[in-house]
Amino acid sequence: MSDPVPARPTGGDLIYRQRRPVRLWHWINALSVIVMLMSGLMIFNAHPQLYWGQYGANHETPWLAIGSTGASGFLRIGAVTVPTTGVLGISHGVALAFPPLLTIPSGYDLAAARQWHFAFAWLLVIPGLLFWLWGLASRHFQHDLAPTPAELHPRHLWQDITDHARLRFHTGEAARRYNILQKLSYIGIIFGLLPAMVLTGLTMSPGMDAAWPWLLDVFGGRQSARSIHFICAALIVGFIVVHLLMVLLAGPFNELRSMITGWYRLPQEKAR
Ligand code: HEM
């Protein structure tokens, strides 16, 4: 978000909203996150159970399991079992936790899934670190993402939540900046979920455990790291669903143009 724009833009003006490094990082990140998610689901398929602590199967009872008995699929979380036939556990006669449509590769292949996962991890981590450095140096984070004290006031937050619920998005001058819900979710992704994914991923690597044994202490053991890795992945999926829904509702052509070319047309003020 930078400024070769009219001094006080109004609804209808085309403004330069997304700088090139943001756009470049965004699309590289979107690609790597999607491949990481899909190959991660195939890796999960090799042992579709999650545990807390240091040790897994034969030591602990899983807190989450996806599987099948006969022709029925199920998801079990704690003591609650949900039938998931056709979606999880078994679909189209294939007994896999996550169905072929959602995984890379689509046929069961743990070795290939790990190769995809580790190759795209570089594409997640290196551009991510460069984006962090650029975001701090260019003041993108401080200027565009950091919430102001006024935006964090409960009354302002509540107003933005109810505006979103009624699909009333910012217009005119106010639409030059991210709204507070965007700022909080983008900060959560950039500084919370993505780093947590990388650190818990490193904690599961025996080589990293030898180099940085403190990682196991931070996350409470390898199985806990695997569980947190999975929970963060689920939260990222939740973010992507809402993110895409908001892009669709706010005007996909204008939103996509701004993330591809940088240029964004400020929505016209509407009578409230
Ligand atoms: C693949 C489909 C995706 C589309 C079409 C899409 C679209 C967009 C658009 C249009 C914006 C700008 C919003 C605005 O200016 O109001 C944006 C920003 C953003 N998106 Fe996405 N997105 C996608 C995937 C993702 C994924 C997978 C992630 C991360 C897990 C992500 C994280 C972000 C973040 C953090 C920003 C703010 C960037 C900044 O200003 O620093 N997006 N996205």
Side-chain angles (χ1 to χ4, degrees):
M1 293 197 189
S2 116
D3 290 322
V5 282
R8 285 202 64 78
T10 56
D13 281 331
L14 207 53
I15 63 159
Y16 188 64
R17 189 164 134 112
Q18 305 290 0
R19 281 183 270 177
R20 191 175 290 140
V22 176
R23 290 180 270 136
L24 202 59
W25 167 79
H26 180 269
W27 293 118
I28 293 174
N29 182 66
L31 173 73
S32 54
V33 164
I34 287 164
V35 174
M36 294 293 286
L37 283 171
M38 294 177 75
S39 52
L41 293 186
M42 176 51 81
I43 297 174
F44 177 87
N45 275 351
H47 186 78
Q49 293 168 2
L50 294 172
Y51 313 83
W52 294 114
Q54 198 63 254
Y55 307 104
N58 307 327
H59 292 270
E60 307 286 343
T61 317
W63 66 268
L64 180 146
I66 301 176
S68 58
T69 43
S72 313
F74 66 84
L75 161 69
R76 191 166 56 239
I77 300 181
V80 180
T81 302
V82 186
T84 53
T85 311
V87 184
L88 300 177
I90 189 160
S91 66
H92 296 101
V94 183
L96 279 177
F98 286 98
L101 202 66
L102 297 182
T103 62
I104 293 179
S106 53
Y108 182 80
D109 189 339
L110 174 61
R114 295 180 87 224
Q115 281 173 351
W116 279 94
H117 208 67
F118 299 143
F120 275 77
W122 290 105
L123 209 59
L124 183 80
V125 171
I126 306 279
L129 289 175
L130 292 175
F131 181 60
W132 264 14
L133 290 176
W134 173 84
L136 286 171
S138 69
R139 303 192 59 77
H140 168 63
F141 295 151
Q142 299 90 319
H143 186 259
D144 298 325
L145 294 187
T148 62
E151 285 175 325
L152 287 174
H153 192 283
R155 203 175 313 129
H156 181 99
L157 273 172
W158 183 243
Q159 179 70 48
D160 239 55
I161 292 170
T162 52
D163 279 353
H164 267 77
R166 283 182 284 175
L167 303 183
R168 286 183 174 173
F169 299 116
H170 287 177
T171 54
E173 167 70 12
R176 271 183 83 169
R177 294 172 298 278
Y178 291 143
N179 62 60
I180 182 63
L181 299 184
Q182 279 180 301
K183 286 184 178 181
L184 293 177
S185 58
Y186 297 158
I187 288 172
I189 288 286
I190 296 169
F191 298 106
L193 291 179
L194 290 177
M197 290 297 312
V198 174
L199 288 176
T200 48
L202 291 176
T203 309
M204 286 185 273
S205 141
M208 286 311 296
D209 288 351
W212 292 351
W214 52 266
L215 277 173
L216 283 169
D217 297 331
V218 169
F219 292 107
R222 186 167 304 165
Q223 295 304 321
S224 295
R226 184 168 175 253
S227 289
I228 298 169
H229 199 68
F230 186 88
I231 292 168
C232 289
L235 292 174
I236 289 181
V237 170
F239 165 82
I240 294 174
V241 170
V242 176
H243 191 53
L244 293 185
L245 197 66
M246 287 298 138
V247 169
L248 285 178
L249 292 171
F253 178 76
N254 197 22
E255 293 282 329
L256 281 179
R257 177 181 48 204
S258 84
M259 233 348 155
I260 294 170
T261 68
W263 291 93
Y264 176 77
R265 190 170 299 285
L266 289 176
Q268 297 278 4
E269 308 269 357
K270 280 192 199 122
R272 290 208 157 198

